[in-house]
Amino acid sequence: MIEHTLSLCYHNKLILAPMVRVGTLPMRLLALDYGADIVYCEILSTLVKGTRRPVTCKIRILPSLEDTLSLVKRIERTGIAAVTVHGRKREERPQHPVSCEAIKAIAETLSIPVIANGGSHDHIQKYLDIEDFRQATAASSVMVARAAMWNPSIFLKEGLRPLEEVMQKYIRYAVQYENHYTNTKYCLCQMLREQLESPQGRLLHAAQSSQEICEAFGLGAFYEEMTRELNTRRAELLARTPEAVGEPAEDPSGVIKMAVKFDRRAYSPQITPKMCLLEWCRKEKLAQPVYDTVQRPLDRLFCSVVTVAEQKYQSTLWDKSKKLAEQAAAIVCLRSRGLPEGRLGEESPSWHKRKREATDQDPGGLRNQEQAVPGELCKKLFVALGSGEESPLEGW
């Protein structure tokens, strides 16, 4: 047997099963809150030889009990700390009965702890059922999957909590730890189950952001408060670095970086930083800005680097869309060069000059331009787009 430096007791434990898309951080925290002893990450790709941490294995039973017992004996000889047995064959689904007898035979054969799994559909509807399932299988512990996915308070000795309460607590964790809204939405849908056609279920189905999910469950104020708190924390962390807001810093690769984000509410409706930067480049007879934007697979956030006059600029804060990331990069460039960026109460000198010159040359021109019919404006827009240059309206 391999001796592990670190150990974990697998006897008489309540365990949240590893589940694809469900076992993310908010669900694991919620299960621990409600009494789970052990939870599994979903985020495992390889086992490092000689690891100091205990390694466990999870299997399904084979077509014959003899083959199953032969398999688990071989597995035990590898030195694993425990084995979890899902009491169904590979091709069987939850509606098929779980074989408590097969799990019991394995538990009586091995010397390492055996963890029983697969009882959610037939056996486990409440906390007391978990112990009944453990005794029926003679297992050391029980791993719960679907029953915990439907209501994580299944681990609570005092009994199940109301689903609305559980879902709200899950959402709070999801927002606090910035879980991606698509995963949050998926897990909540598993909890609602037959209530997906209810008014609240329809609001959840239509939600396209964490904020909309919060609003569907009456947590809009919580989302705004938590967002402000998270932004404050980020600002405090960034203030400890040379890349603090308002402090452009050039990294070793030559990219000028700042920690900024584009807040649409702070800018005039007709003006964006990208438009200001494009206008300035044209005025200076420079090539138009080039944006190189990437998406981070882990959380699907975006970061953009803009190149102007052979100098690169980037915000160190990742954003939820490509357009927002490009606007932030434009802000870094404009602020680094001391140029106006289109914020409310601020006007680009070049645009102001153009308006003044147009008024001087034709006092009625500006007024006539404002009264132009929509069709004429659309024609001008299409001509600009067809010229091969970036439209000033892009990124609105």
Side-chain angles (χ1 to χ4, degrees):
M1 295 287 288
I2 296 174
E3 182 178 351
H4 297 285
T5 304
L6 300 179
S7 62
L8 185 63
C9 177
Y10 291 97
H11 290 279
N12 200 28
K13 300 296 183 183
L14 301 180
I15 304 169
L16 176 68
M19 292 178 280
V20 175
R21 297 185 69 184
V22 174
T24 45
L25 182 59
M27 181 63 76
R28 301 199 301 271
L29 292 172
L30 200 57
L32 290 170
D33 280 350
Y34 286 126
D37 298 301
I38 301 172
V39 297
Y40 283 80
C41 297
E42 70 274 13
I43 322 183
L44 184 62
S45 60
T46 186
L47 292 176
V48 180
K49 186 177 180 180
T51 179
R52 298 172 58 205
R53 289 173 172 77
V55 176
T56 64
C57 175
K58 185 173 184 284
I59 67 165
R60 284 192 174 221
I61 59 176
L62 298 177
S64 75
L65 180 59
E66 182 181 359
D67 289 342
T68 302
L69 293 178
S70 175
L71 172 64
V72 295
K73 288 177 183 177
R74 288 166 54 200
I75 291 174
E76 182 181 37
R77 288 196 293 269
T78 66
I80 63 170
V83 61
T84 299
V85 181
H86 184 122
R88 292 185 180 88
K89 299 169 187 172
R90 184 178 63 178
E91 67 276 7
E92 290 181 328
R93 310 312 303 160
Q95 61 267 26
H96 293 98
V98 63
S99 177
C100 294
E101 296 77 15
I103 301 176
K104 184 176 182 180
I106 294 171
E108 292 173 345
T109 299
L110 302 183
S111 60
I112 59 174
V114 172
I115 303 167
N117 178 237
S120 291
H121 195 273
D122 300 325
H123 296 267
I124 302 173
Q125 279 79 45
K126 57 184 184 297
Y127 176 83
L128 293 177
D129 296 337
I130 299 176
E131 176 59 21
D132 292 342
F133 182 57
R134 189 189 71 79
Q135 292 186 10
T137 58
S140 300
S141 299
V142 173
M143 177 181 286
V144 185
R146 290 177 179 269
M149 177 177 69
W150 297 327
N151 190 328
S153 67
I154 189 74
F155 297 109
L156 199 60
K157 292 181 180 179
E158 293 76 13
L160 290 170
R161 299 301 303 163
L163 189 60
E164 179 76 13
E165 174 188 315
V166 174
M167 295 176 79
Q168 288 201 359
K169 189 170 184 179
Y170 173 84
I171 293 170
R172 289 175 183 271
Y173 272 135
V175 173
Q176 182 179 355
Y177 291 97
E178 299 184 284
N179 196 48
H180 197 274
Y181 87 90
T182 55
N183 179 258
T184 300
K185 183 176 176 178
Y186 175 83
C187 292
L188 291 172
C189 285
Q190 306 312 305
M191 296 184 202
L192 275 179
R193 301 172 71 194
E194 65 272 6
Q195 300 179 44
L196 279 173
E197 294 302 318
S198 67
Q200 189 172 60
R202 291 177 181 176
L203 285 174
L204 173 62
H205 182 71
Q208 295 298 312
S209 66
S210 294
Q211 182 174 6
E212 291 180 6
I213 291 174
C214 286
E215 290 170 352
F217 287 83
L219 294 172
F222 166 79
Y223 177 83
E224 293 179 359
E225 179 184 353
M226 184 53 63
T227 300
R228 287 194 296 269
E229 183 178 327
L230 290 172
N231 288 337
T232 300
R233 290 179 189 172
R234 290 192 191 96
E236 290 173 350
L237 289 173
L238 290 167
R240 302 172 190 170
T241 73
E243 299 168 2
V245 175
E247 296 290 335
E250 184 173 340
D251 71 2
S253 65
V255 181
I256 293 179
K257 297 182 178 181
M258 293 172 62
V260 297
K261 279 203 171 189
F262 173 67
D263 184 352
R264 193 73 186 86
R265 297 166 296 181
Y267 293 81
S268 302
Q270 300 84 6
I271 303 174
T272 66
K274 283 185 67 176
M275 293 168 61
C276 291
L277 184 56
L278 178 62
E279 179 73 13
W280 180 80
C281 288
R282 286 174 173 169
K283 177 187 172 186
E284 298 296 320
K285 294 182 172 50
L286 297 173
Q288 70 179 41
V290 176
Y291 294 88
D292 181 18
T293 307
V294 296
Q295 185 179 30
R296 190 164 56 189
L298 178 64
D299 51 17
R300 300 183 182 178
L301 295 180
F302 293 84
C303 182
S304 184
V305 176
V306 63
T307 303
V308 175
E310 300 183 355
Q311 175 63 59
K312 297 181 183 296
Y313 303 86
Q314 173 193 347
S315 173
T316 57
L317 303 182
W318 291 67
D319 239 310
K320 61 183 179 182
S321 76
K322 177 177 180 290
K323 289 183 178 180
L324 291 176
E326 290 178 354
Q327 295 288 5
I331 291 173
V332 175
C333 178
L334 292 166
R335 291 187 184 177
S336 299
R337 293 177 171 268
L339 300 172
E341 60 191 75
R343 295 178 68 87
L344 290 172
E346 173 189 89
E347 189 172 20
S348 169
S350 61
W351 288 359
H352 181 73
K353 181 180 178 182
R354 285 188 180 184
K355 290 180 180 179
R356 185 172 63 248
E357 289 176 349
T359 305
D360 292 342
Q361 294 172 4
D362 182 1
L366 190 58
R367 182 169 58 255
N368 292 337
Q369 183 180 1
E370 291 171 351
Q371 295 174 352
V373 294
E376 292 300 319
L377 292 177
C378 289
K379 289 178 182 177
K380 294 177 181 178
L381 174 59
F382 288 134
V383 169
L385 289 174
S387 67
E389 295 184 342
E390 180 181 357
S391 167
L393 298 178
E394 184 182 344
W396 275 25

